[in-house]
């Protein structure tokens, strides 16, 4: 089958890490290839309808992934963990996790609690390390077919468009994270209006949050979507949001702030966003980290000086994934996040698309 295969290259890794998005896309360690579809007992074949390009995929390609998580991936691999598939004519969202049950192991303590996203055996058992999209034994969604156990497949509710249904996986990450903010605060500031931030804005309301939601949107098109999704107030940058709510103090060449927001959702996935989120949180406030900033410096004093709490969301439990799929019919308009649908041959265009890029591997 045709697939986009990622093969690590240390020289390209370091060059891309230094140059960032200036690194030529044609030199990224990704190529369209013919790869075999393996067979595995207990797994079914799923035809890929759509697969998303995630910020973590871009971080991997451009050398921004945290080195400490590298042992829990395995390569070369067909990327793509946001997957909408088809089985016997029916659309299914694919939970890409490969935990104890998938690896032929007895459940670890986390899996026994139903917390598969915290599985202790993601690098053990009969499969190589990593989930679908980061696993050398099983292909991800940037290919024509995948393999998955039937328990990993969630039927898509009727009348949900494909472009919305493919967002089930990142929505599940958001749902898990937002639940960690309960009991609900009176207000939430979302930093970054990319895919995760806009999903968080919509999901907050769907989960029953009735307080104020503020958004920091860097670009005009993101601000327009945030307004359409119901943000109560918009800021063009983090400093504007901070000065709106916090008091500034100065001493010599230094400045500090008192006040801020009760809860801050960091959805940009950048080091700058993480630092800004800590500054934006008020005394005793909370920061939810949805993005993956990797190796970044930060002033850690808010954790003790302001007693700011920090939580994160990386994956999900089976119940949270099911909850996200169940919310899809309510979240009308999510299709507006899609910035383009591309065949695998146009992967370079997909990686530079504005908005959420999707692959359609099986082009008729």
């Amino acid at each position: 089958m045709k697939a986009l295969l990622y093969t690590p290259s240390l020289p390209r890794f370091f060059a891309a890490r230094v140059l960032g998005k200036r690194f030529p896309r044609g030199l990224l360690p990704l190529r369209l290839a013919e790869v075999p579809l393996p067979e595995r007992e207990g797994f079914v074949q799923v035809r890929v309808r759509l697969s998303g390009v995630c910020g973590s995929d871009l971080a991997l390609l451009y050398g921004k992934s945290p080195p400490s998580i590298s042992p829990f991936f395995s390569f070369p691999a067909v990327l793509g963990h946001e997957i909408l598939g088809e089985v016997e004519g029916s659309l299914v969202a694919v939970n890409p996790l490969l935990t104890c049950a998938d690896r032929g192991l007895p459940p670890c303590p986390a899996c026994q609690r139903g917390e598969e996203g915290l599985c202790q055996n993601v690098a053990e058992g009969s499969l190589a390390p990593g989930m679908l999209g980061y696993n050398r034994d099983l292909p991800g969604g940037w290919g024509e077919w995948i393999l998955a156990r039937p328990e990993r497949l969630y039927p898509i509710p009727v009348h949900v468009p494909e472009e919305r249904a493919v967002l089930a996986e990142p929505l599940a990450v958001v749902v898990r994270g937002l639940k960690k903010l309960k009991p609900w605060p009176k207000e939430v500031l979302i930093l970054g209006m990319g895919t995760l931030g806009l999903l968080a804005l919509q999901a907050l309301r769907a989960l029953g949050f009735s307080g104020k939601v503020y958004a920091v949107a860097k670009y005009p098109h993101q601000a327009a979507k945030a307004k359409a999704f119901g943000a109560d107030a918009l800021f063009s940058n983090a400093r504007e949001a901070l000065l709106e709510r916090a008091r500034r103090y100065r001493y010599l060449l230094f400045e500090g702030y008192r006040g801020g927001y009760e809860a801050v959702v960091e959805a940009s996935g950048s080091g700058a966003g993480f630092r800004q989120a800590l500054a934006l949180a008020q005394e005793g406030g909370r920061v939810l980290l949805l993005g993956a900033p990797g190796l970044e410096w930060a002033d850690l004093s808010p954790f003790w000086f302001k007693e700011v709490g920090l939580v994160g969301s990386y994956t999900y439990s089976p119940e949270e994934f099911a909850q996200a799929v169940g919310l899809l019919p309510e979240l009308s308009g999510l299709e507006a996040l899609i910035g383009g649908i591309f065949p695998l041959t146009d992967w370079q265009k997909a990686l530079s698309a504005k908005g959420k890029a999707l692959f359609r591997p099986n082009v008729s």
Side-chain angles (χ1 to χ4, degrees):
M1 68 171 185
K2 291 183 175 62
L4 289 172
L5 186 68
Y6 169 79
T7 303
S9 164
L10 281 177
R12 297 186 189 192
F13 170 87
F14 288 115
R17 186 171 182 85
V18 171
L19 295 176
K21 295 299 178 65
R22 293 172 297 165
F23 187 79
R25 287 187 294 276
L27 295 181
L28 291 170
L30 190 68
R31 64 184 178 91
L32 186 60
E34 286 286 340
V35 301
L37 179 65
E39 294 183 0
R40 191 169 185 86
E41 185 177 355
F43 287 65
V44 298
Q45 294 184 0
V46 181
R47 188 174 187 265
V48 178
R49 292 290 290 263
L50 291 172
S51 186
V53 177
C54 177
S56 58
D57 299 319
L58 296 175
L60 176 68
L61 291 168
Y62 285 98
K64 304 299 184 183
S65 291
S68 61
I69 68 174
S70 297
F72 306 103
F73 300 158
S74 57
F75 303 108
V78 177
L79 301 185
H81 60 279
E82 301 176 358
I83 307 166
L84 177 69
E86 181 183 359
V87 177
E88 297 180 351
S90 298
L91 292 180
V92 292
V94 180
N95 180 335
L97 298 185
L98 296 171
T99 59
C100 292
D102 308 270
R103 296 173 174 278
L105 298 171
C108 68
C111 288
Q112 288 178 3
R113 300 193 307 269
E115 290 283 4
E116 289 187 333
L118 302 177
C119 175
Q120 298 171 2
N121 288 322
V122 293
E124 303 289 342
S126 58
L127 286 170
M131 68 172 76
L132 293 183
Y134 300 102
N135 188 286
R136 67 170 176 261
D137 290 341
L138 297 176
W142 294 7
E144 294 175 317
W145 294 83
I146 65 163
L147 294 181
R149 291 193 307 121
E151 295 90 333
R152 298 284 181 209
L153 307 179
Y154 294 73
I156 297 298
V158 294
H159 306 309
V160 172
E162 290 188 9
E163 292 85 350
R164 191 190 313 171
V166 73
L167 297 171
E169 195 277 342
L171 180 59
V173 174
V174 169
V175 165
R176 177 177 177 82
L178 293 179
K179 288 165 59 179
K180 294 184 178 184
L181 294 180
K182 290 184 174 182
W184 291 124
K186 294 180 181 179
E187 60 180 15
V188 175
L189 173 73
I190 304 175
L191 187 59
M193 284 289 106
T195 298
L196 289 176
L198 289 166
L199 284 174
L201 180 53
Q202 277 260 37
L204 270 169
R205 298 306 188 196
L207 292 172
F209 179 71
S210 59
K212 296 288 187 180
V213 182
Y214 309 114
V216 176
K218 185 177 181 180
Y219 302 107
H221 70 278
Q222 293 178 336
K225 288 187 175 67
K227 185 176 181 180
F229 281 12
D232 291 293
L234 294 170
F235 303 102
S236 59
N237 56 65
R239 185 168 182 80
E240 180 184 346
L242 182 64
L243 293 176
E244 177 70 18
R245 297 295 296 275
R247 301 186 303 274
R248 182 172 63 168
Y249 298 88
R250 293 185 61 86
Y251 175 72
L252 299 178
L253 300 177
F254 311 106
E255 65 179 32
Y257 295 83
R258 212 66 178 162
Y261 297 84
E262 191 176 352
V264 180
V265 176
E266 203 305 286
S268 72
S270 68
F274 177 53
R275 294 188 288 273
Q276 291 163 355
L278 294 181
L280 284 161
Q282 70 179 26
E283 294 70 32
R286 289 173 288 170
V287 171
L288 167 61
L289 196 62
L290 290 180
L295 287 177
E296 298 286 349
W297 69 269
D299 177 3
L300 301 183
S301 65
F303 292 123
W304 58 269
F305 186 63
K306 296 197 299 182
E307 296 189 7
V308 169
L310 178 67
V311 293
S313 180
Y314 171 59
T315 54
Y316 26 73
S317 68
E319 291 75 20
E320 289 159 345
F321 199 98
Q323 184 179 11
V325 173
L327 288 174
L328 289 173
E330 300 179 42
L331 302 180
S332 59
L334 282 188
E335 306 89 287
L337 303 184
I338 306 306
I341 301 176
F342 302 87
L344 296 178
T345 51
D346 286 348
W347 64 267
Q348 293 186 41
K349 293 181 181 178
L351 298 186
S352 59
K354 291 183 179 180
K356 184 75 169 180
L358 304 177
F359 285 116
R360 191 180 294 282
N362 291 282
V363 179
S364 56

